[in-house]
Amino acid sequence: MTLLYEGKAKRIFSTEVEDVLRVEYKDEVTAGNGAKKDYIEGKGRLNNQITSHIFNYLKENGVKSHFIEQISETEQLVESVKIIPLEVVVRNIAAGSITKRLGFDKGHVFDEPLVEFFYKNDDLNDPLITDDHIKLLHLASETEIQELKASALAVNQQLLNLMTDMELRLVDFKIEFGLTKDGQILLADEISPDTCRIWDAHSDTNFDKDVYREDTGSIIEVYQTFLNKLEAHK
Ligand code: ADP
Ligand code: UDP
């Protein structure tokens, strides 16, 4: 089958079925828009399994996504969509870029979840953009922007329920949405420790890509521990 796209963490292939894509998760990890980059054996398997588990959980709880099924350790089938070039970030607790941009202390708990949009454009370094910028760039209409925000908050609520049950704190995460052939907005891409910040509720331990960004541990050990927790969760 044809390789349609190779990104930093995944390869996307066509399949013999129209509008169905095969996603292969790679053993590669990057940070800072590719500034830091490593091959880490086993990482693709972990993110494929974690993302599959989370998309299944969301489906059981009424949140639709592009996810169809996991077909191997490193591969899954998804519905093809036209990705809206926005990284939709939801934050419950301050960490990462918002601490530098607005001066919040790391760990500050927001009064309510915050939704931010970043323009998915590597050449521009994925800048934060406003609703008006989104309309100016014709990335989404006002109605679509409101739908993206509501959907992102719905995903957040479900993930918060899951993480709280697992005695974890969901700090923030990034999701992407795409348009189906009939113009519906659908949750797409991945939800994994590469795209979330997840802290232990009772200690300083974290289960996310910050261990790689900050060189504080083994990504394989940390992601495997998170997957074990997910699989143990009823
Ligand atoms: P990046 O492009 O950031 O390096 P990845 O390595 O994760 O990212 O590559 C996956 C690419 O596939 C991303 O650009 C993502 O937007 C895109 N994508 C994710 N889900 C779908 C889908 N259902 N249909 C089409 N493209 C998708
Ligand atoms: N994130 C992501 N891809 C990106 C940028 C951010 O998945 O290209 C995730 C990141 O892992 C975190 C959340 O989005 O869970 C918020 O990231 P932030 O804006 O704080 O950026 P960072 O400082 O992590 O680059």
Side-chain angles (χ1 to χ4, degrees):
M1 292 295 109
T2 320
L3 173 66
L4 301 177
Y5 178 81
E6 174 153 8
K8 295 185 283 286
K10 304 188 280 296
R11 290 188 194 92
I12 310 277
F13 297 87
S14 63
T15 67
E16 59 280 359
V17 183
E18 204 189 331
D19 299 323
V20 174
L21 303 176
R22 177 165 61 86
V23 182
E24 184 189 295
Y25 282 70
K26 304 200 302 184
D27 281 342
E28 266 168 44
V29 57
T30 66
N33 194 12
K36 183 172 172 176
K37 187 175 172 181
D38 282 285
Y39 171 84
I40 299 186
E41 198 176 330
K43 191 248 180 192
R45 172 184 71 79
L46 289 165
N47 273 0
N48 182 46
Q49 287 176 291
I50 292 168
T51 293
S52 298
H53 191 106
I54 291 181
F55 279 138
N56 274 324
Y57 167 84
L58 289 175
K59 187 176 173 188
E60 284 161 17
N61 287 280
V63 178
K64 286 193 228 152
S65 76
H66 73 159
F67 181 75
I68 300 172
E69 61 173 335
Q70 185 185 334
I71 54 166
S72 78
E73 279 207 321
T74 55
E75 298 162 299
Q76 53 184 245
L77 295 180
V78 304
E79 182 176 340
S80 173
V81 294
K82 189 166 176 287
I83 292 287
I84 301 170
L86 290 172
E87 303 205 327
V88 184
V89 169
V90 182
R91 301 180 189 274
N92 298 300
I93 299 171
S97 69
I98 199 165
T99 61
K100 295 173 208 139
R101 197 176 341 107
L102 298 180
F104 285 107
D105 288 334
K106 182 176 174 182
H108 172 89
V109 179
F110 295 123
D111 296 339
E112 51 188 77
L114 171 72
V115 180
E116 293 179 334
F117 293 110
F118 293 82
Y119 184 20
K120 197 170 145 60
N121 184 319
D122 285 345
D123 294 340
L124 298 176
N125 252 321
D126 299 345
L128 178 75
I129 58 174
T130 66
D131 293 14
D132 286 340
H133 293 148
I134 293 172
K135 285 182 266 181
L136 213 61
L137 287 160
H138 301 294
L139 304 180
S141 67
E142 178 60 34
T143 315
E144 287 171 332
I145 293 169
Q146 294 316 320
E147 188 178 336
L148 291 172
K149 285 184 187 171
S151 300
L153 289 172
V155 172
N156 184 50
Q157 193 52 60
Q158 292 306 330
L159 294 181
L160 276 175
N161 294 347
L162 174 65
M163 302 290 167
T164 306
D165 257 17
M166 291 165 63
E167 303 197 18
L168 298 173
R169 301 174 82 200
L170 178 64
V171 175
D172 58 30
F173 63 91
K174 182 273 297 181
I175 45 182
E176 295 181 22
F177 293 89
L179 293 171
T180 61
K181 247 194 342 205
D182 56 1
Q184 303 288 314
I185 291 181
L186 194 61
L187 174 64
D189 204 49
E190 70 176 280
I191 301 183
S192 74
D194 270 12
T195 61
C196 302
R197 283 196 175 90
I198 301 153
W199 296 350
D200 190 272
H202 310 293
S203 74
D204 287 340
T205 314
N206 62 306
F207 299 96
D208 56 56
K209 200 161 89 172
D210 277 351
V211 299
Y212 173 75
R213 293 189 186 95
E214 297 165 1
D215 258 324
T216 52
S218 148
I219 217 173
I220 296 297
E221 277 172 30
V222 164
Y223 287 23
Q224 184 68 58
T225 306
F226 179 69
L227 176 61
N228 295 347
K229 281 179 187 287
L230 262 184
E231 287 179 340
H233 174 264
K234 297 282 176 302

